[in-house]
Amino acid sequence: MTDALITLDAVNKWFGKLHVLRDVNLSVAAGEVVVVIGPSGSGKSTLCRSINRLETIDSGTITFDGRPLPAEGRALARLRADVGMVFQSFNLFAHKTILDNVTLGPTKVRRQSTADARAYGMELLERVGIADQAGKHPAQLSGGQQQRAAIARALAMRPKAMLFDEPTSALDPEMVGEVLEVMTGLAKGGMTMIVVTHEMGFARHAADRVVFMADGQIVEQAPPAEFFAQPRTERARDFLGKVLSH
Ligand SMILES: Nc1ncnc2c1ncn2[C@@H]1O[C@H](COP(=O)(O)OP(=O)(O)OP(=O)(O)O)[C@@H](O)[C@H]1O
Ligand SMILES: [Mg+2]
């Protein structure tokens, strides 16, 4: 194996009788940006959630940075810090300020001093363009601003990889761009990323590789230019026909 940061090997997952991940093999190199697309229910979220062990798998192995995922305890907390996750819903703490949301993890999990965490937190809020919102509470921000705060919060842990599960799906259309812009910046800056999204423009411009899932399987994967120009399977063609037509 070369420089894979994330490796899934023959991963299977069932929800009861439903086989949601079927022999999934996926290797993501350090610095690589992988966009995962596919129909609803194909297992995209489960795949993401398995990688930072929000879901357990039934067979196969997942390794992160050369080690199998830890099952519990401090090692698991460290994994969750190393693998930042951003969801469709922003999941910010409602009763804390934006800056406090960003500094909580670094002070509690990474044991950083409050001063250091706040300084780096402000730097990140600057980077995502909401430094002026630092003292406000989440409800006082727009959806796009909240999602950028959620990204800053994940980055504050100095993660080795970031997982995004439909980060723009809950946003009003006019706010999608500002979040994608932050993600594009991260991608260009060399962050290892797995991004589940329906934003095909982002896939085209920011992804190194597009992974198409259907029925719990990776059906095909290719660099975006190749995938969008010549999808090899009927299922991918059918899916692209639907998502690109509106
Ligand atoms: N906690 C759960 N318990 C039972 N079934 C689940 C659970 N979570 C997901 N599933 C089922 O597993 C399958 C895969 O779900 P998953 O959320 O991974 O799909 P997805 O590709 O992310 O879909 P979407 O595009 O709608 O977000 C679906 O059939 C879903 O209903
Ligand atoms: Mg999903």
Side-chain angles (χ1 to χ4, degrees):
M1 212 59 203
T2 52
D3 56 348
L5 183 63
I6 302 168
T7 310
L8 285 80
D9 186 20
V11 168
N12 283 281
K13 163 87 182 164
W14 280 265
F15 282 117
K17 286 186 176 152
L18 196 62
H19 198 176
V20 290
L21 294 178
R22 301 169 179 249
D23 271 325
V24 171
N25 295 301
L26 180 68
S27 174
V28 180
E32 195 180 9
V33 177
V34 172
V35 165
V36 180
I37 64 174
S40 180
S42 56
K44 306 179 299 294
S45 293
T46 307
L47 177 80
C48 276
R49 293 168 58 81
S50 300
I51 293 170
N52 74 355
R53 227 170 184 286
L54 291 171
E55 300 286 355
T56 56
I57 56 173
D58 296 301
S59 70
T61 49
I62 303 179
T63 59
F64 182 77
D65 213 4
R67 275 177 235 115
L69 298 190
E72 56 189 17
R74 199 169 290 167
L76 181 57
R78 210 176 305 123
L79 172 79
R80 299 249 168 91
D82 281 345
V83 184
M85 181 134 187
V86 176
F87 302 91
Q88 183 173 333
S89 53
F90 325 121
N91 298 119
L92 295 164
F93 294 109
H95 301 292
K96 291 188 183 294
T97 66
I98 296 303
L99 182 59
D100 286 345
N101 265 278
V102 171
T103 57
L104 189 68
T107 51
K108 295 276 184 269
V109 178
R110 296 289 199 205
R111 307 278 168 91
Q112 266 179 31
S113 74
T114 305
D116 285 355
R118 290 177 77 86
Y120 188 50
M122 281 310 298
E123 195 183 313
L124 290 170
L125 291 178
E126 196 81 55
R127 200 195 296 174
V128 303
I130 53 165
D132 53 340
Q133 311 294 322
K136 292 190 185 168
H137 285 79
Q140 296 172 282
L141 271 59
S142 72
Q145 290 171 327
Q146 289 187 58
Q147 193 58 303
R148 286 183 282 154
I151 294 172
R153 182 178 57 175
L155 291 175
M157 302 296 260
R158 303 178 195 266
K160 294 176 181 158
M162 290 280 286
L163 310 177
F164 293 86
D165 190 0
E166 300 202 26
T168 60
S169 299
L171 299 177
D172 291 337
E174 73 269 24
M175 289 164 192
V176 169
E178 65 199 34
V179 173
L180 292 178
E181 203 174 305
V182 167
M183 292 167 59
T184 303
L186 271 181
K188 294 222 163 84
M191 178 60 79
T192 308
M193 293 164 61
I194 297 181
V195 182
V196 178
T197 185
H198 297 297
E199 295 293 333
M200 296 300 135
F202 178 82
R204 271 179 207 278
H205 297 118
D208 295 305
R209 184 162 34 128
V210 175
V211 166
F212 174 70
M213 285 186 78
D215 290 336
Q217 285 181 308
I218 294 180
V219 174
E220 61 178 284
Q221 46 182 317
E226 186 183 324
F227 178 79
F228 288 109
Q230 296 165 309
R232 289 188 296 269
T233 61
E234 186 56 43
R235 304 197 73 162
R237 280 193 290 276
D238 183 52
F239 177 77
L240 284 179
K242 284 177 186 144
V243 293
L244 295 175
S245 68
H246 56 76

